[in-house]
mmCIF file of all heavy atoms in Angstrom:
data_model
loop_
_atom_site.group_PDB
_atom_site.id
_atom_site.type_symbol
_atom_site.label_atom_id
_atom_site.label_comp_id
_atom_site.label_asym_id
_atom_site.label_seq_id
_atom_site.Cartn_x
_atom_site.Cartn_y
_atom_site.Cartn_z
ATOM 1 N N SER S 29 49.387 -25.314 63.762
ATOM 2 C CA SER S 29 48.677 -24.527 64.759
ATOM 3 C C SER S 29 47.753 -23.534 64.072
ATOM 4 O O SER S 29 47.987 -23.128 62.928
ATOM 5 C CB SER S 29 49.690 -23.781 65.634
ATOM 6 O OG SER S 29 49.060 -22.776 66.376
ATOM 7 N N ARG S 30 46.690 -23.139 64.793
ATOM 8 C CA ARG S 30 45.775 -22.135 64.235
ATOM 9 C C ARG S 30 46.464 -20.794 64.020
ATOM 10 O O ARG S 30 45.970 -19.963 63.261
ATOM 11 C CB ARG S 30 44.565 -21.961 65.157
ATOM 12 C CG ARG S 30 43.554 -23.103 65.097
ATOM 13 C CD ARG S 30 42.950 -23.255 63.713
ATOM 14 N NE ARG S 30 42.001 -24.347 63.644
ATOM 15 C CZ ARG S 30 40.679 -24.193 63.611
ATOM 16 N NH1 ARG S 30 40.159 -22.988 63.660
ATOM 17 N NH2 ARG S 30 39.883 -25.235 63.535
ATOM 18 N N VAL S 31 47.576 -20.565 64.690
ATOM 19 C CA VAL S 31 48.363 -19.354 64.457
ATOM 20 C C VAL S 31 49.557 -19.751 63.587
ATOM 21 O O VAL S 31 50.455 -20.463 64.028
ATOM 22 C CB VAL S 31 48.837 -18.710 65.773
ATOM 23 C CG1 VAL S 31 49.692 -17.479 65.477
ATOM 24 C CG2 VAL S 31 47.649 -18.335 66.644
ATOM 25 N N LEU S 32 49.532 -19.314 62.342
ATOM 26 C CA LEU S 32 50.587 -19.638 61.386
ATOM 27 C C LEU S 32 51.621 -18.527 61.374
ATOM 28 O O LEU S 32 51.280 -17.360 61.164
ATOM 29 C CB LEU S 32 50.003 -19.799 59.981
ATOM 30 C CG LEU S 32 48.988 -20.922 59.767
ATOM 31 C CD1 LEU S 32 48.363 -20.791 58.382
ATOM 32 C CD2 LEU S 32 49.653 -22.273 59.922
ATOM 33 N N GLU S 33 52.863 -18.893 61.595
ATOM 34 C CA GLU S 33 53.938 -17.908 61.509
ATOM 35 C C GLU S 33 54.368 -17.803 60.050
ATOM 36 O O GLU S 33 55.413 -18.288 59.630
ATOM 37 C CB GLU S 33 55.099 -18.307 62.411
ATOM 38 C CG GLU S 33 54.739 -18.281 63.890
ATOM 39 C CD GLU S 33 55.908 -18.641 64.766
ATOM 40 O OE1 GLU S 33 56.986 -18.955 64.229
ATOM 41 O OE2 GLU S 33 55.739 -18.608 65.999
ATOM 42 N N LEU S 34 53.522 -17.145 59.273
ATOM 43 C CA LEU S 34 53.736 -16.993 57.845
ATOM 44 C C LEU S 34 53.733 -15.520 57.485
ATOM 45 O O LEU S 34 52.822 -14.784 57.856
ATOM 46 C CB LEU S 34 52.627 -17.689 57.047
ATOM 47 C CG LEU S 34 52.709 -19.196 56.827
ATOM 48 C CD1 LEU S 34 51.453 -19.665 56.091
ATOM 49 C CD2 LEU S 34 53.945 -19.581 56.046
ATOM 50 N N SER S 35 54.732 -15.096 56.746
ATOM 51 C CA SER S 35 54.753 -13.729 56.237
ATOM 52 C C SER S 35 54.053 -13.693 54.880
ATOM 53 O O SER S 35 53.820 -14.727 54.243
ATOM 54 C CB SER S 35 56.191 -13.242 56.089
ATOM 55 O OG SER S 35 56.853 -13.964 55.055
ATOM 56 N N GLN S 36 53.722 -12.489 54.428
ATOM 57 C CA GLN S 36 53.124 -12.339 53.105
ATOM 58 C C GLN S 36 54.072 -12.844 52.018
ATOM 59 O O GLN S 36 53.635 -13.449 51.036
ATOM 60 C CB GLN S 36 52.782 -10.868 52.874
ATOM 61 C CG GLN S 36 51.712 -10.341 53.817
ATOM 62 C CD GLN S 36 51.527 -8.853 53.716
ATOM 63 O OE1 GLN S 36 52.036 -8.210 52.797
ATOM 64 N NE2 GLN S 36 50.799 -8.281 54.666
ATOM 65 N N GLU S 37 55.353 -12.614 52.209
ATOM 66 C CA GLU S 37 56.334 -13.090 51.238
ATOM 67 C C GLU S 37 56.338 -14.615 51.164
ATOM 68 O O GLU S 37 56.412 -15.206 50.078
ATOM 69 C CB GLU S 37 57.727 -12.587 51.601
ATOM 70 C CG GLU S 37 58.807 -13.012 50.610
ATOM 71 C CD GLU S 37 60.174 -12.476 50.984
ATOM 72 O OE1 GLU S 37 60.301 -11.852 52.057
ATOM 73 O OE2 GLU S 37 61.120 -12.692 50.210
ATOM 74 N N GLU S 38 56.243 -15.276 52.326
ATOM 75 C CA GLU S 38 56.240 -16.741 52.342
ATOM 76 C C GLU S 38 54.988 -17.305 51.693
ATOM 77 O O GLU S 38 55.049 -18.311 50.972
ATOM 78 C CB GLU S 38 56.383 -17.233 53.783
ATOM 79 C CG GLU S 38 57.775 -17.005 54.355
ATOM 80 C CD GLU S 38 57.847 -17.285 55.837
ATOM 81 O OE1 GLU S 38 56.812 -17.231 56.527
ATOM 82 O OE2 GLU S 38 58.961 -17.562 56.323
ATOM 83 N N ILE S 39 53.844 -16.671 51.924
ATOM 84 C CA ILE S 39 52.617 -17.115 51.250
ATOM 85 C C ILE S 39 52.766 -16.938 49.743
ATOM 86 O O ILE S 39 52.333 -17.784 48.956
ATOM 87 C CB ILE S 39 51.399 -16.347 51.776
ATOM 88 C CG1 ILE S 39 51.173 -16.678 53.252
ATOM 89 C CG2 ILE S 39 50.144 -16.687 50.966
ATOM 90 C CD1 ILE S 39 50.074 -15.873 53.898
ATOM 91 N N GLY S 40 53.405 -15.841 49.342
ATOM 92 C CA GLY S 40 53.669 -15.640 47.918
ATOM 93 C C GLY S 40 54.543 -16.742 47.343
ATOM 94 O O GLY S 40 54.320 -17.210 46.218
ATOM 95 N N MET S 41 55.524 -17.203 48.115
ATOM 96 C CA MET S 41 56.389 -18.285 47.659
ATOM 97 C C MET S 41 55.625 -19.590 47.516
ATOM 98 O O MET S 41 55.919 -20.409 46.640
ATOM 99 C CB MET S 41 57.551 -18.469 48.631
ATOM 100 C CG MET S 41 58.537 -17.315 48.643
ATOM 101 S SD MET S 41 59.814 -17.510 49.911
ATOM 102 C CE MET S 41 60.712 -18.924 49.254
ATOM 103 N N LEU S 42 54.626 -19.808 48.373
ATOM 104 C CA LEU S 42 53.833 -21.034 48.312
ATOM 105 C C LEU S 42 52.807 -21.009 47.188
ATOM 106 O O LEU S 42 52.415 -22.060 46.684
ATOM 107 C CB LEU S 42 53.114 -21.267 49.640
ATOM 108 C CG LEU S 42 53.991 -21.568 50.854
ATOM 109 C CD1 LEU S 42 53.130 -21.730 52.097
ATOM 110 C CD2 LEU S 42 54.830 -22.820 50.626
ATOM 111 N N THR S 43 52.375 -19.813 46.790
ATOM 112 C CA THR S 43 51.310 -19.708 45.802
ATOM 113 C C THR S 43 51.785 -19.240 44.431
ATOM 114 O O THR S 43 51.062 -19.394 43.445
ATOM 115 C CB THR S 43 50.236 -18.714 46.283
ATOM 116 O OG1 THR S 43 50.850 -17.432 46.508
ATOM 117 C CG2 THR S 43 49.585 -19.194 47.572
ATOM 118 N N GLY S 44 52.984 -18.654 44.368
ATOM 119 C CA GLY S 44 53.441 -18.067 43.118
ATOM 120 C C GLY S 44 52.794 -16.731 42.824
ATOM 121 O O GLY S 44 52.813 -16.258 41.687
ATOM 122 N N ILE S 45 52.217 -16.106 43.840
ATOM 123 C CA ILE S 45 51.536 -14.823 43.708
ATOM 124 C C ILE S 45 52.389 -13.743 44.368
ATOM 125 O O ILE S 45 53.058 -13.997 45.365
ATOM 126 C CB ILE S 45 50.140 -14.892 44.380
ATOM 127 C CG1 ILE S 45 49.290 -15.963 43.683
ATOM 128 C CG2 ILE S 45 49.431 -13.547 44.333
ATOM 129 C CD1 ILE S 45 48.013 -16.311 44.429
ATOM 130 N N SER S 46 52.388 -12.556 43.805
ATOM 131 C CA SER S 46 53.221 -11.481 44.331
ATOM 132 C C SER S 46 52.829 -11.125 45.755
ATOM 133 O O SER S 46 51.669 -11.297 46.170
ATOM 134 C CB SER S 46 53.109 -10.236 43.445
ATOM 135 O OG SER S 46 51.835 -9.632 43.599
ATOM 136 N N ARG S 47 53.799 -10.612 46.518
ATOM 137 C CA ARG S 47 53.535 -10.225 47.904
ATOM 138 C C ARG S 47 52.447 -9.173 47.986
ATOM 139 O O ARG S 47 51.598 -9.206 48.883
ATOM 140 C CB ARG S 47 54.817 -9.709 48.553
ATOM 141 C CG ARG S 47 54.668 -9.393 50.036
ATOM 142 C CD ARG S 47 55.924 -8.760 50.596
ATOM 143 N NE ARG S 47 56.192 -7.470 49.970
ATOM 144 C CZ ARG S 47 55.570 -6.325 50.305
ATOM 145 N NH1 ARG S 47 54.653 -6.322 51.260
ATOM 146 N NH2 ARG S 47 55.871 -5.201 49.691
ATOM 147 N N GLN S 48 52.455 -8.208 47.043
ATOM 148 C CA GLN S 48 51.457 -7.147 47.066
ATOM 149 C C GLN S 48 50.053 -7.708 46.867
ATOM 150 O O GLN S 48 49.101 -7.306 47.553
ATOM 151 C CB GLN S 48 51.774 -6.110 45.984
ATOM 152 C CG GLN S 48 53.038 -5.312 46.232
ATOM 153 C CD GLN S 48 54.291 -6.043 45.782
ATOM 154 O OE1 GLN S 48 54.231 -7.183 45.298
ATOM 155 N NE2 GLN S 48 55.433 -5.396 45.927
ATOM 156 N N ARG S 49 49.934 -8.668 45.942
ATOM 157 C CA ARG S 49 48.603 -9.248 45.681
ATOM 158 C C ARG S 49 48.171 -10.153 46.837
ATOM 159 O O ARG S 49 46.987 -10.224 47.170
ATOM 160 C CB ARG S 49 48.633 -10.027 44.361
ATOM 161 C CG ARG S 49 47.257 -10.524 43.931
ATOM 162 C CD ARG S 49 46.304 -9.362 43.722
ATOM 163 N NE ARG S 49 44.943 -9.808 43.428
ATOM 164 C CZ ARG S 49 44.025 -10.127 44.336
ATOM 165 N NH1 ARG S 49 44.341 -10.059 45.629
ATOM 166 N NH2 ARG S 49 42.820 -10.509 43.985
ATOM 167 N N VAL S 50 49.136 -10.855 47.446
ATOM 168 C CA VAL S 50 48.826 -11.649 48.633
ATOM 169 C C VAL S 50 48.294 -10.754 49.740
ATOM 170 O O VAL S 50 47.335 -11.112 50.442
ATOM 171 C CB VAL S 50 50.075 -12.423 49.105
ATOM 172 C CG1 VAL S 50 49.874 -12.965 50.518
ATOM 173 C CG2 VAL S 50 50.392 -13.560 48.150
ATOM 174 N N ASN S 51 48.884 -9.588 49.906
ATOM 175 C CA ASN S 51 48.445 -8.643 50.932
ATOM 176 C C ASN S 51 46.977 -8.261 50.734
ATOM 177 O O ASN S 51 46.190 -8.228 51.697
ATOM 178 C CB ASN S 51 49.321 -7.394 50.887
ATOM 179 C CG ASN S 51 48.933 -6.386 51.957
ATOM 180 O OD1 ASN S 51 48.707 -6.739 53.098
ATOM 181 N ND2 ASN S 51 48.846 -5.119 51.572
ATOM 182 N N LEU S 52 46.587 -8.007 49.495
ATOM 183 C CA LEU S 52 45.194 -7.667 49.205
ATOM 184 C C LEU S 52 44.267 -8.846 49.519
ATOM 185 O O LEU S 52 43.186 -8.662 50.079
ATOM 186 C CB LEU S 52 45.053 -7.255 47.741
ATOM 187 C CG LEU S 52 45.731 -5.949 47.321
ATOM 188 C CD1 LEU S 52 45.604 -5.748 45.816
ATOM 189 C CD2 LEU S 52 45.100 -4.772 48.074
ATOM 190 N N ALA S 53 44.705 -10.041 49.148
ATOM 191 C CA ALA S 53 43.885 -11.231 49.394
ATOM 192 C C ALA S 53 43.704 -11.465 50.890
ATOM 193 O O ALA S 53 42.600 -11.770 51.364
ATOM 194 C CB ALA S 53 44.518 -12.452 48.727
ATOM 195 N N LEU S 54 44.772 -11.312 51.656
ATOM 196 C CA LEU S 54 44.678 -11.509 53.103
ATOM 197 C C LEU S 54 43.735 -10.479 53.734
ATOM 198 O O LEU S 54 42.975 -10.803 54.659
ATOM 199 C CB LEU S 54 46.066 -11.413 53.741
ATOM 200 C CG LEU S 54 47.042 -12.531 53.395
ATOM 201 C CD1 LEU S 54 48.402 -12.253 54.031
ATOM 202 C CD2 LEU S 54 46.517 -13.893 53.842
ATOM 203 N N GLY S 55 43.793 -9.253 53.234
ATOM 204 C CA GLY S 55 42.887 -8.227 53.734
ATOM 205 C C GLY S 55 41.432 -8.598 53.497
ATOM 206 O O GLY S 55 40.578 -8.408 54.375
ATOM 207 N N ARG S 56 41.162 -9.142 52.330
ATOM 208 C CA ARG S 56 39.803 -9.559 52.008
ATOM 209 C C ARG S 56 39.360 -10.705 52.919
ATOM 210 O O ARG S 56 38.233 -10.700 53.451
ATOM 211 C CB ARG S 56 39.731 -9.997 50.544
ATOM 212 C CG ARG S 56 38.398 -10.580 50.102
ATOM 213 C CD ARG S 56 37.254 -9.617 50.316
ATOM 214 N NE ARG S 56 35.997 -10.152 49.810
ATOM 215 C CZ ARG S 56 34.799 -9.694 50.160
ATOM 216 N NH1 ARG S 56 34.709 -8.688 51.010
ATOM 217 N NH2 ARG S 56 33.707 -10.235 49.654
ATOM 218 N N LEU S 57 40.232 -11.684 53.146
ATOM 219 C CA LEU S 57 39.898 -12.811 54.011
ATOM 220 C C LEU S 57 39.691 -12.355 55.461
ATOM 221 O O LEU S 57 38.849 -12.903 56.176
ATOM 222 C CB LEU S 57 40.997 -13.870 53.939
ATOM 223 C CG LEU S 57 41.218 -14.511 52.558
ATOM 224 C CD1 LEU S 57 42.402 -15.470 52.602
ATOM 225 C CD2 LEU S 57 39.961 -15.229 52.077
ATOM 226 N N ALA S 58 40.450 -11.342 55.877
ATOM 227 C CA ALA S 58 40.283 -10.801 57.224
ATOM 228 C C ALA S 58 38.942 -10.072 57.340
ATOM 229 O O ALA S 58 38.264 -10.158 58.376
ATOM 230 C CB ALA S 58 41.441 -9.866 57.557
ATOM 231 N N GLU S 59 38.542 -9.345 56.304
ATOM 232 C CA GLU S 59 37.251 -8.649 56.316
ATOM 233 C C GLU S 59 36.092 -9.631 56.478
ATOM 234 O O GLU S 59 35.066 -9.305 57.073
ATOM 235 C CB GLU S 59 37.071 -7.857 55.020
ATOM 236 C CG GLU S 59 37.977 -6.641 54.897
ATOM 237 C CD GLU S 59 37.855 -5.986 53.535
ATOM 238 O OE1 GLU S 59 37.079 -6.509 52.688
ATOM 239 O OE2 GLU S 59 38.523 -4.961 53.313
ATOM 240 N N LEU S 60 36.278 -10.837 55.956
ATOM 241 C CA LEU S 60 35.247 -11.869 56.041
ATOM 242 C C LEU S 60 35.330 -12.664 57.347
ATOM 243 O O LEU S 60 34.593 -13.646 57.525
ATOM 244 C CB LEU S 60 35.365 -12.814 54.850
ATOM 245 C CG LEU S 60 35.106 -12.186 53.476
ATOM 246 C CD1 LEU S 60 35.450 -13.175 52.366
ATOM 247 C CD2 LEU S 60 33.654 -11.735 53.359
ATOM 248 N N ASN S 61 36.247 -12.253 58.232
ATOM 249 C CA ASN S 61 36.439 -12.911 59.534
ATOM 250 C C ASN S 61 36.850 -14.378 59.397
ATOM 251 O O ASN S 61 36.519 -15.209 60.252
ATOM 252 C CB ASN S 61 35.170 -12.796 60.395
ATOM 253 C CG ASN S 61 34.855 -11.373 60.781
ATOM 254 O OD1 ASN S 61 35.753 -10.606 61.152
ATOM 255 N ND2 ASN S 61 33.585 -10.992 60.681
ATOM 256 N N LEU S 62 37.583 -14.667 58.343
ATOM 257 C CA LEU S 62 38.141 -16.007 58.182
ATOM 258 C C LEU S 62 39.507 -16.108 58.849
ATOM 259 O O LEU S 62 39.886 -17.182 59.324
ATOM 260 C CB LEU S 62 38.252 -16.353 56.693
ATOM 261 C CG LEU S 62 36.936 -16.388 55.915
ATOM 262 C CD1 LEU S 62 37.201 -16.645 54.437
ATOM 263 C CD2 LEU S 62 35.998 -17.430 56.481
ATOM 264 N N ILE S 63 40.239 -15.000 58.877
ATOM 265 C CA ILE S 63 41.566 -14.961 59.494
ATOM 266 C C ILE S 63 41.737 -13.636 60.234
ATOM 267 O O ILE S 63 40.997 -12.677 60.000
ATOM 268 C CB ILE S 63 42.698 -15.099 58.446
ATOM 269 C CG1 ILE S 63 42.658 -13.915 57.460
ATOM 270 C CG2 ILE S 63 42.609 -16.427 57.715
ATOM 271 C CD1 ILE S 63 43.853 -13.869 56.504
ATOM 272 N N ASN S 64 42.706 -13.605 61.137
ATOM 273 C CA ASN S 64 43.212 -12.365 61.718
ATOM 274 C C ASN S 64 44.669 -12.223 61.311
ATOM 275 O O ASN S 64 45.410 -13.211 61.295
ATOM 276 C CB ASN S 64 43.107 -12.380 63.243
ATOM 277 C CG ASN S 64 41.681 -12.217 63.731
ATOM 278 O OD1 ASN S 64 40.832 -11.650 63.047
ATOM 279 N ND2 ASN S 64 41.390 -12.734 64.916
ATOM 280 N N ILE S 65 45.085 -11.015 60.990
ATOM 281 C CA ILE S 65 46.433 -10.768 60.519
ATOM 282 C C ILE S 65 47.221 -10.020 61.583
ATOM 283 O O ILE S 65 46.749 -9.014 62.130
ATOM 284 C CB ILE S 65 46.430 -9.952 59.213
ATOM 285 C CG1 ILE S 65 45.580 -10.653 58.139
ATOM 286 C CG2 ILE S 65 47.853 -9.749 58.696
ATOM 287 C CD1 ILE S 65 45.370 -9.796 56.905
ATOM 288 N N ALA S 66 48.409 -10.520 61.901
ATOM 289 C CA ALA S 66 49.339 -9.828 62.785
ATOM 290 C C ALA S 66 50.705 -9.799 62.103
ATOM 291 O O ALA S 66 50.883 -10.359 61.019
ATOM 292 C CB ALA S 66 49.417 -10.535 64.136
ATOM 293 N N TYR S 67 51.663 -9.168 62.737
ATOM 294 C CA TYR S 67 52.987 -9.068 62.142
ATOM 295 C C TYR S 67 53.604 -10.461 61.998
ATOM 296 O O TYR S 67 53.752 -11.188 62.980
ATOM 297 C CB TYR S 67 53.897 -8.184 62.996
ATOM 298 C CG TYR S 67 55.317 -8.087 62.464
ATOM 299 C CD1 TYR S 67 55.579 -7.392 61.285
ATOM 300 C CD2 TYR S 67 56.364 -8.706 63.118
ATOM 301 C CE1 TYR S 67 56.855 -7.309 60.787
ATOM 302 C CE2 TYR S 67 57.659 -8.630 62.626
ATOM 303 C CZ TYR S 67 57.897 -7.923 61.454
ATOM 304 O OH TYR S 67 59.175 -7.849 60.955
ATOM 305 N N GLN S 68 53.938 -10.844 60.785
ATOM 306 C CA GLN S 68 54.592 -12.118 60.475
ATOM 307 C C GLN S 68 53.771 -13.339 60.899
ATOM 308 O O GLN S 68 54.321 -14.431 61.064
ATOM 309 C CB GLN S 68 55.982 -12.190 61.134
ATOM 310 C CG GLN S 68 56.951 -11.123 60.674
ATOM 311 C CD GLN S 68 57.470 -11.368 59.255
ATOM 312 O OE1 GLN S 68 57.500 -12.479 58.770
ATOM 313 N NE2 GLN S 68 57.887 -10.300 58.586
ATOM 314 N N SER S 69 52.453 -13.177 61.064
ATOM 315 C CA SER S 69 51.646 -14.333 61.441
ATOM 316 C C SER S 69 50.199 -14.134 61.008
ATOM 317 O O SER S 69 49.733 -13.012 60.786
ATOM 318 C CB SER S 69 51.709 -14.592 62.954
ATOM 319 O OG SER S 69 51.045 -13.580 63.666
ATOM 320 N N ILE S 70 49.506 -15.263 60.910
ATOM 321 C CA ILE S 70 48.093 -15.288 60.549
ATOM 322 C C ILE S 70 47.383 -16.224 61.511
ATOM 323 O O ILE S 70 47.824 -17.359 61.715
ATOM 324 C CB ILE S 70 47.891 -15.787 59.106
ATOM 325 C CG1 ILE S 70 48.587 -14.863 58.113
ATOM 326 C CG2 ILE S 70 46.410 -15.936 58.769
ATOM 327 C CD1 ILE S 70 48.713 -15.464 56.729
ATOM 328 N N ARG S 71 46.299 -15.782 62.095
ATOM 329 C CA ARG S 71 45.485 -16.639 62.949
ATOM 330 C C ARG S 71 44.239 -17.035 62.180
ATOM 331 O O ARG S 71 43.487 -16.179 61.713
ATOM 332 C CB ARG S 71 45.104 -15.940 64.250
ATOM 333 C CG ARG S 71 44.279 -16.825 65.176
ATOM 334 C CD ARG S 71 43.982 -16.120 66.483
ATOM 335 N NE ARG S 71 43.223 -16.979 67.371
ATOM 336 C CZ ARG S 71 41.888 -17.071 67.374
ATOM 337 N NH1 ARG S 71 41.183 -16.334 66.533
ATOM 338 N NH2 ARG S 71 41.280 -17.878 68.223
ATOM 339 N N VAL S 72 44.029 -18.334 62.016
ATOM 340 C CA VAL S 72 42.858 -18.829 61.305
ATOM 341 C C VAL S 72 41.682 -18.844 62.274
ATOM 342 O O VAL S 72 41.700 -19.549 63.290
ATOM 343 C CB VAL S 72 43.111 -20.229 60.724
ATOM 344 C CG1 VAL S 72 41.833 -20.774 60.085
ATOM 345 C CG2 VAL S 72 44.227 -20.171 59.691
#
């Protein structure tokens, strides 16, 4: 689904990247209007 029930920790588990760094990356992607971030979910 376009709404992914994924936490930052789970994305870190899929990428091998720390949760803190994933958080920064998601913020950047949200600034570019590629995703929207909500609690425990991401909307593409």
Side-chain angles (χ1 to χ4, degrees):
S29 165
R30 285 298 179 105
V31 178
L32 298 171
E33 294 182 358
L34 279 176
S35 68
Q36 295 172 12
E37 182 179 5
E38 289 171 337
I39 295 175
M41 292 175 68
L42 294 178
T43 58
I45 299 168
S46 71
R47 185 186 64 80
Q48 292 83 359
R49 187 61 185 85
V50 166
N51 181 45
L52 293 175
L54 292 176
R56 175 58 176 162
L57 298 176
E59 290 174 359
L60 296 172
N61 295 317
L62 298 176
I63 63 172
N64 287 335
I65 304 171
Y67 177 70
Q68 299 287 335
S69 69
I70 299 166
R71 181 177 181 273
V72 175

